[in-house]
């Protein structure tokens, strides 16, 4: 039970680290694709979950939710700059909010935005709520090889800015790095360990220590092994998961060029 408890807390950490994958929006846009649908294996049936369309003149993606699951998320609009980097991301969701007279809760579509700014080897991301208020910032620092080396999360409150999280990446080689994460909001925690990446740049394993409330736990976690199939234009089209030595197709992307 103790091991499960720590893995539940580590879940967001383990799922968040992912770098330089080939299924990026940048590669999609540069390949001049017109539309794409993503299908996932749900108990042996391939069901559509997302649809992508791209306006080349505006350099704008529209990503729609076409799944029966996660109905709160409706769509995301992503705008790229002249270098095909993300400039703005607008996520439209359905949320329960307090009505204007504060007498009732109502279900309403709200828009959450992220705005990106690129300067030398630094990327800053600003988060805005549905009223346009600045909620938080994130700064990411990259080395000359475009590998991330530090990330800082800030939370914006009236008359103050709070550092909530710092992550550091000390690259050992192109496929592994020492990782340190400090979380300052409750519960305060610290993670130190080594990530190893596979040939796709995705996480392969993590080994290290997780400390929370002055209690340390050794984490030795291996991600499910996967195989990715890329088309001639460099876009991801299939993902296989290896279980008991067998390949199982878990995701398929149908792209129209």
């Amino acid at each position: 039970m103790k091991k499960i408890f720590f893995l539940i807390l580590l879940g967001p950490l383990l799922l968040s680290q992912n770098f330089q994958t080939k299924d990026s929006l940048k590669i999609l846009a540069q390949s001049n694709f017109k539309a794409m649908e993503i299908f996932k294996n749900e108990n042996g049936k391939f069901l559509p979950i997302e649809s992508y369309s791209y306006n080349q003149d505006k350099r704008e993606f529209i990503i729609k939710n076409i799944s029966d699951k996660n109905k709160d998320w409706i769509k995301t609009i992503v705008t790229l700059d002249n270098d095909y980097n993300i400039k703005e991301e607008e996520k439209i969701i359905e949320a329960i909010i307090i009505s204007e007279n504060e007498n009732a809760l109502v279900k309403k579509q709200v828009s959450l935005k992220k705005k990106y700014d690129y300067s030398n080897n630094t990327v800053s991301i600003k988060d805005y709520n549905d009223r346009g208020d600045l909620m938080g910032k994130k700064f990411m620092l990259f080395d000359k090889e475009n590998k991330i080396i530090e990330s800082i999360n800030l939370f914006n409150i009236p008359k103050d800015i709070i550092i909530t999280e710092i992550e550091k990446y000390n690259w050992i080689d192109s496929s592994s790095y020492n990782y340190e994460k400090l979380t300052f909001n409750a519960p305060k925690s610290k993670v130190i360990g080594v990530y190893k990446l596979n040939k796709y740049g995705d996480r392969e394993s993590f080994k290290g220590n997780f400390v929370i409330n002055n209690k340390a736990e050794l984490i030795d976690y291996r991600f499910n092994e996967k195989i990715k199939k890329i088309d001639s234009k460099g876009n991801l089209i299939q993902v296989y998961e290896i279980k008991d030595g067998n390949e199982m197709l878990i995701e398929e992307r149908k792209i129209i060029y």
Side-chain angles (χ1 to χ4, degrees), residues 94-110:
E94 279 194 345
I96 304 296
I97 63 174
I98 299 175
S99 62
E100 292 183 1
N101 57 19
E102 299 187 356
N103 290 328
L105 296 175
V106 295
K107 194 169 187 178
K108 180 182 177 182
Q109 288 190 13
V110 298

Side-chain angles (χ1 to χ4, degrees), residues 132-144:
D133 300 326
L134 180 64
M135 298 298 294
K137 298 179 183 178
K138 183 173 186 176
F139 295 94
M140 294 184 293
L141 181 66
F142 295 81
D143 64 15
K144 293 180 180 180

Side-chain angles (χ1 to χ4, degrees), residues 80-96:
L80 308 183
D81 63 17
N82 292 334
D83 295 318
Y84 293 94
N85 296 313
I86 296 176
K87 181 170 65 175
E88 183 173 300
E89 179 182 341
E90 180 182 7
K91 187 174 184 179
I92 300 171
I93 62 173
E94 279 194 345
I96 304 296

Side-chain angles (χ1 to χ4, degrees), residues 13-170:
L13 159 75
L14 295 172
L15 294 174
S16 66
Q17 309 310 316
N18 201 2
F19 305 104
Q20 302 168 342
T21 54
K22 293 183 179 179
D23 51 328
S24 66
L25 295 181
K26 186 172 186 176
I27 296 175
L28 268 172
Q30 289 177 323
S31 67
N32 294 320
F33 93 109
K34 295 181 176 63
M36 178 176 75
E37 279 196 8
I38 300 178
F39 297 80
K40 282 206 171 181
N41 188 338
E42 298 284 349
N43 299 320
K45 294 182 179 180
F46 281 87
L47 303 177
I49 59 168
E50 294 176 11
S51 69
Y52 286 59
S53 61
Y54 181 61
N55 186 312
Q56 293 185 23
D57 295 329
K58 294 182 179 180
R59 290 196 175 171
E60 179 183 90
F61 282 90
I62 297 179
I63 307 168
K64 293 182 179 180
N65 177 22
I66 54 175
S67 170
D68 289 335
K69 298 181 178 180
N70 190 25
K71 291 184 178 181
D72 292 338
W73 170 58
I74 298 171
K75 67 179 179 179
T76 300
I77 302 169
V78 180
T79 307
L80 308 183
D81 63 17
N82 292 334
D83 295 318
Y84 293 94
N85 296 313
I86 296 176
K87 181 170 65 175
E88 183 173 300
E89 179 182 341
E90 180 182 7
K91 187 174 184 179
I92 300 171
I93 62 173
E94 279 194 345
I96 304 296
I97 63 174
I98 299 175
S99 62
E100 292 183 1
N101 57 19
E102 299 187 356
N103 290 328
L105 296 175
V106 295
K107 194 169 187 178
K108 180 182 177 182
Q109 288 190 13
V110 298
S111 171
L112 308 175
K113 289 187 178 181
K114 293 180 182 285
K115 294 186 178 181
Y116 294 71
D117 183 61
Y118 302 84
S119 177
N120 297 323
N121 58 346
T122 304
V123 180
S124 64
I125 306 171
K126 295 180 180 179
D127 287 288
Y128 297 88
N129 64 17
D130 60 308
R131 298 185 300 274
D133 300 326
L134 180 64
M135 298 298 294
K137 298 179 183 178
K138 183 173 186 176
F139 295 94
M140 294 184 293
L141 181 66
F142 295 81
D143 64 15
K144 293 180 180 180
E145 298 177 347
N146 201 33
K147 296 196 296 288
I148 188 168
I149 56 178
E150 190 167 4
S151 173
I152 301 174
N153 281 354
L154 307 172
F155 182 67
N156 211 63
I157 60 176
K159 299 181 181 180
D160 203 359
I161 296 176
I162 300 173
I163 297 177
T164 59
E165 186 179 281
I166 296 177
E167 296 171 283
K168 295 182 179 180
Y169 310 78
N170 183 8

